[in-house]
Amino acid sequence: MANEVKPGEIFDRDIEWDELVRFVSNPDPGPNLAVVYGHRRQGKSFLLDHLARRYDGLYHVAAEDDPRTALDSFAASMAEWLGLAVPLRFEDWKSGIEAAVEQMTRRSVETGRPALMVIDEYSYLLSGTPALSSYIQNAFDRYKRDRRGTVRIVLCGSAFSLMANLLSGDKPLYGRAALSRLIRPFDHRVAARFWDATHRPTALRLHAIVGGVPGYRMLSEAVHPHSGFHSPGDLDEWVVATVLNPASMLFQEHDRLLREDPRISHRALYQGVLRQIAQGVTKPGKIAVGLGRDARSMKHPLDALVDTGLVRRVEDLVFSGKTSYHIAEPILRFAHAVILPRLTQLDRGRSRLVWERSADVFRSNILGPHFEDLVRDWLADQGWARLGFPEPGEVGQTTISSGADGQRGHQVDVVMLDPDSSPRGDRVAVRLLGEAKCTAEPRSGHDLRRLEKIRERMRSIGKIDVSATRYAVFSESGFAADLLAEASRRDDVHLVDLDDLYGE
């Protein structure tokens, strides 16, 4: 069963499908547990529904109901799975879980095949019945000792922090799971294929707006039929009709993302933090100043946004104590840079005008930071090999003091360390310095000169080894003649354009 062919309806997700098939088909007797989580619209339910169909499993999707109604809904799903004409009714969730595991065990023993149960949106059930994980633990341990049948349970949810911590050391299900799988958005190359974005500059801009979330295509098709992105004009029409259209579900997606996780209670504060980060204010102290708050008060909201997967905490790759925060969901950055500052105009139906007047903000506050993130992800994923490095090293960014006044610094967009170097170690070896600027003008020799000056500044700092450092210039708009000529004469200079970033 481990080589089960993935259903043709599932786009990409080969690794995730194979992992789930191996989990279900593992012949080890007794029950086993998997946790699948990630933000909404990633295709988790679609994937697990097909898995349950493949193995004739019990698939139940929970809703935000009171505990009694939620239990009756689970009993109805179980009765349908068993083919019962008479509805089931359980006294409480403890008896419901025990009955489900018992029925799955019987079916597995009778058929000689794995019995699968998927509980989707598990976090809804847990919020109404906090002891539910303990009930699953008790049933799990009981049938684990019996080792009868092959029972597989998958718990799935979109409350990111809750599901991510479901298996932590202080939780009832700690040590019970064989698989924990975060369903991530598609990367920029897969997303371009999914959206049929054949024009690469347009594919880049689309990814800067909605990232790799597959469910956004379905949402947008409800108001704008999809015909691919083959020119800049295709994106312009799509943005006006969808993301900037108050009637579109994508218009309010930024707010729904905050409502998704129970840790986000005072949304005004969190929206304020996100607004600051979207405007390029990434340091905790400066975020606090922008909101008129004490710096210490930023720890909780920033930690919560990181735990929910909406924001990434980024540590300087070379120096300790330099922390910044970046928005992880592109649509949040777009909302705070373009949508929310112009709500009045958008509500009056002026989407096209807003989009036209947002060109500079889009390039500087959205496209530029997104391009840098994409470049670093590409380098860590496959770019290191494409550039001829034998092994990958840690990839990130750093800020180097100018040395003149100790205040001003040089921001280095892309840094890759030697594989043997630990980030922020006593001594680090830098293997690559990169400049990633998404501008309308081709990058020139000026960018290379800047990297060379930064390398010399690093050389003067005792802890940094730059003896084997190479350079990389990343560009959306190509390269000027002087840079092309110099790169052709040198083996330590790499020029990377969109064809490289989007090539397989």
Side-chain angles (χ1 to χ4, degrees):
M1 291 186 182
N3 61 351
E4 286 276 2
V5 177
K6 184 189 71 175
E9 302 92 326
I10 299 175
F11 186 89
D12 197 64
R13 303 300 189 200
D14 295 343
I15 294 174
E16 293 88 342
W17 175 260
D18 289 344
E19 285 179 344
L20 289 166
V21 166
R22 284 196 297 271
F23 165 76
V24 176
S25 60
N26 187 327
D28 183 42
N32 227 331
L33 180 70
V35 172
V36 176
Y37 66 104
H39 290 306
R40 292 189 195 280
R41 324 254 197 238
Q42 306 296 347
K44 303 184 302 296
S45 298
F46 191 68
L47 188 68
L48 293 174
D49 181 42
H50 277 282
L51 185 75
R53 292 171 185 267
R54 179 65 59 89
Y55 288 97
D56 191 25
L58 165 57
Y59 179 70
H60 175 68
V61 182
E64 287 187 281
D65 286 323
D66 64 274
R68 180 69 252 175
T69 304
L71 179 56
D72 289 343
S73 177
F74 175 74
S77 294
M78 186 173 165
E80 181 182 2
W81 177 64
L82 293 171
L84 301 179
V86 179
L88 293 171
R89 183 171 175 84
F90 302 116
E91 180 181 347
D92 51 32
W93 269 104
K94 183 175 184 296
S95 59
I97 292 296
E98 288 177 349
V101 175
E102 173 62 25
Q103 290 295 332
M104 292 170 66
T105 302
R106 289 181 181 177
R107 176 167 291 195
S108 177
V109 170
E110 291 170 357
T111 64
R113 298 194 304 272
L116 170 66
M117 176 172 69
V118 177
I119 302 180
D120 203 352
E121 295 301 351
Y122 179 73
S123 48
Y124 286 155
L125 301 181
L126 202 58
S127 62
T129 309
L132 185 56
S133 291
S134 295
Y135 301 152
I136 294 175
Q137 172 206 344
N138 293 336
F140 186 98
D141 291 349
R142 173 184 170 187
Y143 285 91
K144 192 75 171 177
R145 289 191 297 269
D146 294 344
R147 297 182 69 80
R148 292 187 299 119
T150 305
V151 173
R152 301 293 178 254
I153 302 172
V154 178
L155 306 179
C156 178
S158 302
F160 198 96
S161 61
L162 188 152
M163 296 300 297
N165 292 321
L166 204 59
L167 304 175
S168 59
D170 59 342
K171 303 299 182 183
L173 295 176
Y174 172 72
R176 269 76 179 181
L179 176 67
S180 177
R181 161 52 70 174
L182 169 61
I183 306 297
R184 301 180 182 276
F186 294 148
D187 71 19
H188 63 286
R189 292 159 300 172
V190 176
R193 296 200 307 272
F194 181 74
W195 287 88
D196 190 23
T198 58
H199 184 251
R200 285 174 173 168
T202 300
L204 173 65
R205 283 156 177 75
L206 175 66
H207 197 259
I209 297 171
V210 295
V213 181
Y216 290 163
R217 175 172 168 175
M218 182 182 70
L219 289 185
S220 69
E221 286 176 340
V223 293
H224 185 76
H226 182 75
S227 57
F229 295 89
H230 312 299
S231 70
D234 292 335
L235 181 69
D236 292 337
E237 294 303 317
W238 181 86
V239 168
V240 169
T242 60
V243 193
L244 295 183
N245 178 4
S248 168
M249 291 295 292
L250 281 175
F251 187 82
Q252 293 292 338
E253 184 69 3
H254 65 279
D255 189 56
R256 187 203 57 77
L257 282 169
L258 283 183
R259 294 176 184 272
E260 191 172 83
D261 200 287
R263 288 193 60 178
I264 307 297
S265 53
H266 302 290
R267 285 192 296 278
L269 170 60
Y270 291 94
Q271 294 283 21
V273 173
L274 289 169
R275 182 177 62 253
Q276 291 291 312
I277 299 175
Q279 293 172 349
V281 182
T282 62
K283 304 295 183 183
K286 292 184 177 180
I287 293 172
V289 170
L291 296 176
R293 289 175 170 265
D294 183 87
R296 291 170 296 182
S297 69
M298 286 296 98
K299 184 178 186 312
H300 175 74
L302 285 170
D303 285 350
L305 287 169
V306 170
D307 289 345
T308 58
L310 301 179
V311 166
R312 289 184 291 111
R313 182 184 292 109
V314 179
E315 302 291 345
D316 189 293
L317 197 61
V318 178
F319 300 100
S320 300
K322 295 183 178 182
T323 303
S324 59
Y325 291 86
H326 297 192
I327 291 179
E329 289 286 343
I331 203 165
L332 285 176
R333 182 188 285 141
F334 185 86
H336 284 277
V338 176
I339 296 176
L340 295 176
R342 299 163 182 84
L343 272 178
T344 301
Q345 297 297 316
L346 292 169
D347 284 339
R348 290 175 176 169
R350 297 169 183 165
S351 300
R352 190 174 300 278
L353 179 63
V354 166
W355 181 231
E356 290 171 354
R357 291 185 174 178
S358 299
D360 291 340
V361 169
F362 179 76
R363 181 172 284 279
S364 60
N365 288 16
I366 297 173
L367 193 59
H370 186 79
F371 185 68
E372 293 178 20
D373 289 339
L374 186 149
V375 161
R376 286 187 286 265
D377 289 343
W378 174 84
L379 183 61
D381 177 37
Q382 62 160 286
W384 59 272
R386 297 281 294 274
L387 298 186
F389 290 93
E391 295 180 67
E394 291 289 331
V395 175
Q397 60 191 65
T398 189
T399 300
I400 302 295
S401 164
S402 66
D405 53 20
Q407 299 297 318
R408 295 172 56 250
H410 300 291
Q411 177 71 42
V412 188
D413 302 328
V414 183
V415 181
M416 186 173 76
L417 303 184
D418 183 89
D420 295 328
S421 286
S422 298
R424 299 169 293 281
D426 293 335
R427 184 167 180 79
V428 295
V430 174
R431 287 296 173 260
L432 185 76
L433 291 175
E435 182 94 334
K437 294 291 184 288
C438 196
T439 60
E441 301 78 25
R443 308 314 303 171
S444 69
H446 173 77
D447 298 288
L448 182 56
R449 301 287 86 79
R450 179 176 182 274
L451 291 175
E452 289 173 334
K453 289 180 180 178
I454 290 172
R455 179 180 180 180
E456 290 309 307
R457 173 59 187 147
M458 286 182 164
R459 194 191 303 276
S460 69
I461 300 175
K463 65 174 283 184
I464 307 177
D465 175 10
V466 292
S467 59
T469 299
R470 300 189 216 168
Y471 307 104
V473 179
F474 301 86
S475 173
E476 178 211 355
S477 305
F479 308 96
D482 64 331
L483 183 55
L484 287 169
E486 186 163 3
S488 68
R489 298 191 300 267
R490 297 172 55 170
D491 59 7
D492 64 338
V493 177
H494 303 279
L495 305 182
V496 181
D497 59 16
L498 289 188
D499 286 341
D500 298 308
L501 293 173
Y502 276 88
E504 296 296 332

